[in-house]
Amino acid sequence: MTDGRITTAKLGDDGPEVGVQGLGCMGMSFGYGPSDADASRATLERALELGVTLYDTADAYGAGENERFLAPFFKAHRDEVVIATKFSLSIPPDDPTRRVIRNDPPYIRQAVEASLKRLDVDVIDLYYMHRRDVNVPIEETVGTMADLVREGKVKHLGLSEVTADELRAAHTVHPVAAVQSEWSLFSRDIEPKVVPAARDLGVALVPYSPLGRGFLTGSFANADQDLTPDDFRRQQPRFTGENATRNAALLELIRSVADAHGASVGQIALAWVQQQASVHDLPVIPIPGTRKPSRVEENVAATRIVLTDEQLDLLDGIAAQVAGNRYADMAFTSAGRE
């Protein structure tokens, strides 16, 4: 590693080389309350300077606003970045607060054209199915996605929150470069089945919310009390009420490891996720989200922290003690269908 830049890893056997840590961009315009556009732009630039090359968005983030916000940055650095976006969370015209999962071929084609236009690019580097509609055979969905590759609109395919069986079925239709699922010290439900399947197939894991949506940094302790009314974390069971109180206590164990490294609690949580690459023998490229350049610097520094076997053992039991599910309705996660 030179000049403070992070090392790289491949997104799957046939995917592009990217920085070993990516950047989740959702919060720059959606989901986490008010944001500062200038600070977010500075964050994007600083991330790139530090070797972060995978930038993650989705058409559902602010009804396309996140893609539009990122477009100028992508245009200025097109040859340096890998653009990941997603389809499947359709917004009904009569109720912009709702999301309807659609995986049908006509919708996929409509969605990709809209994303290409908003992003102002000719091709999307990594195109994810954001959530699974179990009423549409996954082979049909991935078959349409594969057509987009052949047509030059998409380079590589990804799936989000799929089960091991769904991943294996999809991979028979077209190689999958990456699976995106929540994975952190608080959320480890993909480890028994999805992670081994990805390893066997040569698929990279892209953990979203590796910092527990900020909870693992200690930036908030109770969503009801600490976050603005429009912050969607107030809808997630583990961040409110008695669950939040119990879960906040779990940070003390992480803090003891952080003190030993002269690091922050968030850095240890992120270093744990990064180290799962060697634990499970597959590429792991987490996409922590932030809107501040200083946080990007802190997150990138976590790639240099190596936890000892004793520290990994110490942290191992945290997930089993977490109170509350990561979503109020787990049916749309891989864990809800495994």
Side-chain angles (χ1 to χ4, degrees):
M1 187 181 304
T2 59
D3 302 326
R5 291 173 63 85
I6 57 176
T7 56
T8 61
K10 286 196 72 175
L11 274 174
D13 285 349
D14 301 313
E17 196 89 8
V18 296
V20 76
Q21 185 181 112
L23 181 64
C25 301
M26 180 185 80
M28 294 179 178
S29 55
F30 172 76
Y32 290 168
S35 61
D36 183 319
D38 289 339
S40 292
R41 293 186 190 99
T43 300
L44 294 167
E45 296 288 350
R46 184 62 178 139
L48 188 59
E49 290 172 355
L50 293 171
V52 174
T53 55
L54 176 64
Y55 293 81
D56 186 89
T57 182
D59 60 0
Y61 299 161
E65 274 308 307
N66 199 240
E67 290 179 325
R68 292 188 190 94
F69 174 78
L70 295 168
F73 170 75
F74 291 154
K75 188 170 186 178
H77 302 285
R78 188 63 188 97
D79 295 337
E80 304 169 81
V81 300
V82 173
I83 301 170
T85 192
K86 316 176 192 74
F87 72 89
S88 82
L89 297 182
S90 173
I91 302 173
D94 59 339
D95 187 356
T97 65
R98 289 181 60 220
R99 298 291 186 273
V100 177
I101 298 177
R102 291 188 60 180
N103 292 172
D104 55 287
Y107 180 75
I108 297 171
R109 290 195 166 278
Q110 171 189 330
V112 74
E113 295 297 341
S115 284
L116 286 166
K117 183 176 181 179
R118 285 189 294 263
L119 292 164
D120 194 20
V121 295
D122 296 324
V123 60
I124 294 165
D125 300 313
L126 177 60
Y127 200 42
Y128 285 103
M129 180 189 77
H130 203 162
R131 289 293 185 270
R132 169 94 167 96
D133 178 358
V134 296
N135 297 309
V136 180
I138 197 161
E139 295 85 353
E140 182 177 343
T141 299
V142 177
T144 301
M145 295 170 71
D147 288 340
L148 300 180
V149 175
R150 286 186 282 271
E151 294 164 14
K153 296 175 181 178
V154 169
K155 289 184 179 179
H156 304 282
L157 304 186
L159 303 171
S160 180
E161 289 288 1
V162 291
T163 67
D165 287 345
E166 290 164 351
L167 173 58
R168 292 183 189 279
H171 204 75
T172 64
V173 178
H174 189 279
V176 177
V179 165
Q180 184 175 131
S181 286
E182 188 165 355
W183 197 6
S184 73
L185 280 169
F186 271 21
S187 302
R188 299 180 59 181
D189 48 56
I190 65 170
E191 289 179 28
K193 294 183 179 180
V194 177
V195 170
R199 181 183 59 238
D200 293 347
L201 297 171
V203 177
L205 246 297
V206 178
Y208 72 83
S209 298
L211 293 171
R213 302 193 185 278
F215 195 86
L216 286 166
T217 70
S219 61
F220 72 99
N222 187 299
D224 288 334
Q225 300 170 10
D226 302 336
L227 303 179
T228 57
D230 57 345
D231 194 307
F232 92 107
R233 288 172 289 186
R234 291 166 63 107
Q235 304 169 23
Q236 295 182 296
R238 61 178 49 165
F239 302 143
T240 58
E242 182 59 29
N243 286 347
T245 302
R246 291 174 56 186
N247 293 336
L250 298 175
L251 299 188
E252 290 307 310
L253 189 59
I254 308 172
R255 190 167 284 112
S256 68
V257 177
D259 290 343
H261 284 271
S264 68
V265 173
Q267 284 179 315
I268 296 303
L270 192 48
W272 181 89
V273 177
Q274 300 276 180
Q275 207 156 325
Q276 298 312 298
S278 57
V279 171
H280 294 279
D281 191 27
L282 82 168
V284 176
I285 298 135
I287 49 170
T290 186
R291 301 175 286 193
K292 298 179 180 179
S294 60
R295 289 295 189 187
V296 165
E297 293 166 0
E298 180 180 335
N299 292 345
V300 163
T303 66
R304 305 181 183 91
I305 297 173
V306 179
L307 303 174
T308 66
D309 290 342
E310 291 76 15
Q311 289 168 341
L312 289 172
D313 289 342
L314 188 66
L315 297 170
D316 191 58
I318 289 177
Q321 301 177 61
V322 172
N325 284 327
R326 48 194 178 98
Y327 291 102
D329 184 354
M330 290 289 286
F332 304 111
T333 69
S334 60
R337 299 192 305 279
E338 283 286 11

